[in-house]
Structures are given as C-alpha cells and as structure tokens.
Amino acid sequence: MRVFKSVWQRYAPTPEIAWLLEQFRQMLNDCIRIGLAENVTSLKSLSLKAYRQLSGYDVASYYKLCAISAATGILRNYRKAKRKNPHVREPYARRPRLTTCYGFKVRYGELSLPIHAREHIRIPLNQHAQATINGFALRSVTLTEDRLSLAYSNEVQQLRPRGFIGIDRNLDNVTTATSDGSVKLFDLSEATRTKTTYEKVRSHLKRNDVRIRREISSKYGQKQRDKVKQVLHHASKLIVEEAKAKQYGITMEKLTGIRKLYRRGNWQGCWYRGRMNSWSYAELQRQIEYKSKWEGLPVIYVHPYGTSSRCSICGQKMKPEENRTLRCPSCGYVVDRDVNAAKNILARALRFGVVGLTSEAMVAEPASVRQSAKSMRGS
Ligand SMILES: [Zn+2]
C-alpha cells in the first residue's frame, strides 16, 4: 500500500517565483471560468476545452496540466456545494497556490522547478526538509507566497490489527479507549485558548478597507491554525505511537458536517468559531489518519449516531449528571461522557469484524444504530 506524508518550510520567493505563482493563479481562474461556462468538471473534457486557451501563457506546459487538474477539483467541490446551497459563490482563486507533480527535482539540497520550457529555478531546502524526505519518493511540490511543501510516499504492508483504539474528539480534549481496556485523555484546551485569543485580536480589527482587513485577518488565521496544528500534532503523535506499540488499528467517528458539532453544544453559535472548530476536528483526524497509515495501521470510520448518548455497556439512552458524567438508568453504569463516547466508537469498530472479537467487547445497540452502521458500510 502506498502511503503519503508531507513536509513544509518557509522560503523567500524571488521575482521569478512570484511571477510563476501569479501566472498559475490566472491560468487556474481561466480554467475555472471555462469550466463554469461549459459546465464541465471532468479532467478530460476540461483539458479539451481549456488547454488551447492557455497557449498565451509562457510557462512550462506542466503547469497548464496542473492548473486544469486543480480547476477540476475546485469545480467538483463547487458543484457539490451548489447542490446543497444554490446561492454558494462561484469559485475564484484569490491567493496564489501552485501544486505540481511533474518536472521538479531535488538535488544537492535544492529544489529545482521548471519555469519556462528549458529554464529552471532553484529553491534551497532547509536541513529539516532534506532529512525528512531522504530515502523516499517525492510525489509533489506545493508553493504558496512564503511556504513550500513536499509530498513524499512510502510503500508499507498493512498490519492485521490486534485490537483498536477508539478516539473521541471534544472541544477541549481527545479521549481514547483501547481494546485492552485502557482509557486516556489528551488535553487540547491550549488550542481552544489560542483560538479565543486570536478571535479577540480579530474582532478589534476595525480597518474600513475590506481588502486590508481580509489580509490581516487571514494572516492571523494562518498563525492561529499553525498554533492549533502544533497542539494537535502532539496529541496525534502520542496516539499513533501507542497504536504502533500495541499494533492496534484506529477508529474514529465519521464527521457529518457541522451539525454534530453543534449538537455537542460546546460553544455559543459564533459562525467563525464554528468553522474554526470543524476545521480543527477534521485536522486532528487528518493527522491521525496519515500518521497511522504511514505505520501500516488500518483506520476505520464509524457512524457517529448515538455515540455520545448511548450506554457503552448496554446501549440504552443515558441521563446526564453533573461534571460531564452520564448514568445509565438501565444498568446503572456511571461514566464520564467522553470516555463513554470513546468506548462506543471502539465497540462499533470491533463490530465491523475486522479483528477476532472478544465477547466483552461486543455491545448491544438499538436497531436504529445497527441500521445506520449498515448503511454506512454500504456507502
Ligand atoms: Zn447501560
């Protein structure tokens, strides 16, 4: 199985690189415009419609293909979003961002990228990036105004897991429950605090110019995301290390939009914070998934229905008590709600029959849950 990781570093763009990025952004917007006008989203038909119209751009032809392929992705997402909300804004690339899988090389500590047909530009790589990619196959390069990121791959054998780690994410923590009965809690409140501080800074930006405000606030957004990512990396690393040591697979809830996050009732309905939170939920899953896959550990997603409200022993609806604990009126089980959710997620993974099941791990659940689990497996 081929698995992927990436490493990034900052760099100082030369005028040539800035020029290339801007050309790419314009080509991408041309492709998006053509795709919208012709109503096409497939790579093949967009290539037929758009490639010739990009002939005016004096860049290596690799980038034309990359722009077309990036545009198909954007157009597909747009089409999907439009089905849900007909008023969604038409896509347009504002910031330069270039991804290419072709034509680049790393040699003598430098990334070499074609710019025109036979002309290359070079960007020095730092020690960390060089050491990280050493020995792996490079897959793609992504450039933005001040960062470059290299994706690399490895071939691994997928392990047959001896058990699972169930992971439940909450606003302030991530809780894990494992097949061998251990339960752990990783504190994420530092990430939440970071978010609140940056939000205060943002709310004090009262510049009238929308463009400036957008620029400043996206700069803060980036810093904030970096800070939150760091906190999440710490937790995801520890979780995957435990999974690796025990040869356990990973199981998480399938995130179904923002609704589930609302249901948790952890914040006060602020649109921005809601977006930030759903981003950070998805980011933690992304990190855990790629780190696990890199180690050959299987990752499975289970249906979230009822994981936070049903008893992880008998499957009955639980009653909330104080201090985030739940009590089961049917079997009398009293448990922390996050621990209960993690155990439910774990139990659902075991029911998928990936590993030899111990009877204690099997949990009876209401028919509606079994039904939804079945429909998820089908999808
Ligand atoms: Zn119970």
Side-chain angles (χ1 to χ4, degrees):
M1 193 176 66
R2 181 172 289 168
V3 289
F4 298 87
K5 265 191 176 181
S6 67
V7 59
W8 70 271
Q9 67 164 67
R10 289 182 199 286
Y11 78 102
T14 60
E16 278 170 309
I17 298 172
W19 175 85
L20 177 63
L21 281 170
E22 179 56 22
Q23 297 295 300
F24 190 81
R25 191 183 72 86
Q26 288 178 19
M27 289 196 297
L28 181 58
N29 282 326
D30 282 356
C31 294
I32 292 172
R33 204 165 42 237
I34 294 164
L36 289 173
E38 309 266 348
N39 196 24
V40 291
T41 54
S42 89
L43 186 60
K44 198 178 165 198
S45 34
L46 190 63
S47 304
L48 289 171
K49 307 256 184 217
Y51 192 78
R52 277 177 56 163
Q53 298 203 44
L54 299 179
S55 62
Y57 290 95
D58 180 27
V59 295
S61 53
Y62 299 123
Y63 298 118
K64 298 179 183 176
L65 299 173
C66 294
I68 294 169
S69 136
T72 56
I74 292 169
L75 289 164
R76 264 189 213 138
N77 285 339
Y78 169 68
R79 188 180 268 188
K80 216 193 273 171
K82 203 177 173 189
R83 247 180 263 138
K84 284 190 190 145
N85 169 17
H87 304 295
V88 65
R89 242 195 338 194
E90 289 197 343
Y92 178 80
R94 240 170 229 105
R95 335 191 121 257
R97 178 193 175 87
L98 180 162
T99 297
T100 176
C101 333
Y102 318 107
F104 64 89
K105 246 182 222 153
V106 170
R107 224 189 287 168
Y108 313 120
E110 279 183 331
L111 170 68
S112 153
L113 278 169
I115 182 161
H116 302 296
R118 245 175 245 95
E119 213 181 314
H120 288 250
I121 41 178
R122 288 188 173 73
I123 305 172
L125 297 180
N126 66 27
Q127 291 294 329
H128 172 66
Q130 287 182 51
T132 308
I133 59 173
N134 190 26
F136 297 114
L138 278 182
R139 294 289 155 183
S140 70
V141 176
T142 299
L143 294 179
T144 62
E145 285 161 307
D146 58 349
R147 294 179 177 201
L148 80 85
S149 143
L150 298 165
Y152 54 100
S153 72
N154 196 15
E155 300 290 335
V156 298
Q157 202 71 14
Q158 184 161 315
L159 286 169
R160 231 187 115 72
R162 295 184 177 163
F164 272 90
I165 300 188
I167 299 172
D168 180 56
R169 166 73 199 271
N170 300 285
L171 192 63
D172 275 336
N173 74 62
V174 50
T175 307
T176 63
T178 57
S179 295
D180 61 6
S182 81
V183 164
K184 279 186 187 150
L185 189 139
F186 302 85
D187 184 20
L188 300 180
S189 56
E190 200 189 330
T192 326
R193 271 199 302 280
T194 309
K195 280 187 260 184
T196 330
T197 320
Y198 277 117
E199 262 154 51
K200 268 190 203 136
V201 174
R202 285 165 67 104
S203 68
H204 284 112
L205 294 173
K206 289 222 174 74
R207 301 287 284 269
N208 277 328
D209 187 327
V210 174
R211 242 183 24 241
I212 292 178
R213 206 167 56 202
R214 190 181 282 151
E215 188 122 311
I216 294 174
S217 105
S218 89
K219 204 177 242 171
Y220 273 108
Q222 179 76 59
K223 276 191 187 165
Q224 177 184 355
R225 280 194 296 272
D226 287 348
K227 193 78 212 295
V228 172
K229 267 189 182 179
Q230 257 178 31
V231 177
L232 299 179
H233 269 304
H234 182 69
S236 59
K237 188 177 164 213
L238 292 174
I239 291 169
V240 176
E241 273 172 5
E242 182 184 359
K244 191 185 170 189
K246 295 180 175 170
Q247 301 216 348
Y248 279 0
I250 298 278
T251 166
M252 295 182 276
E253 282 180 325
K254 183 153 188 136
L255 292 177
T256 47
I258 205 163
R259 248 185 331 182
K260 169 182 174 297
L261 310 179
Y262 268 116
R263 186 169 53 77
R264 296 239 175 188
N266 274 318
W267 75 87
Q268 288 74 46
C270 160
W271 176 82
Y272 173 76
R273 205 188 294 169
R275 250 178 48 137
M276 189 64 205
N277 284 336
S278 64
W279 169 80
S280 108
Y281 275 58
E283 171 63 17
L284 182 75
Q285 291 202 336
R286 189 189 68 84
Q287 291 182 6
I288 292 174
E289 182 172 331
Y290 83 74
K291 287 176 189 179
S292 309
K293 285 190 167 162
W294 189 260
E295 302 294 348
L297 305 167
V299 177
I300 62 176
Y301 288 93
V302 297
H303 202 286
Y305 180 82
T307 47
S308 48
S309 60
R310 300 276 173 182
C311 173
S312 57
I313 305 266
C314 72
Q316 287 303 307
K317 191 117 178 164
M318 297 186 94
K319 293 236 153 61
E321 303 220 315
E322 56 212 25
N323 292 330
R324 298 176 65 84
T325 57
L326 298 169
R327 170 189 288 277
C328 175
S330 173
C331 72
Y333 187 41
V334 178
V335 62
D336 177 87
R337 48 177 262 182
D338 301 336
V339 173
N340 186 59
K343 286 187 170 174
N344 273 330
I345 293 166
L346 170 66
R348 223 160 265 188
L350 295 174
R351 256 200 309 101
F352 273 61
V354 188
V355 273
L357 302 176
T358 58
S359 55
E360 297 85 18
M362 293 289 284
V363 173
E365 275 167 17
S368 58
V369 175
R370 270 195 300 273
Q371 208 55 46
S372 43
K374 225 182 258 168
S375 67
M376 259 211 16
R377 227 175 316 174
S379 67

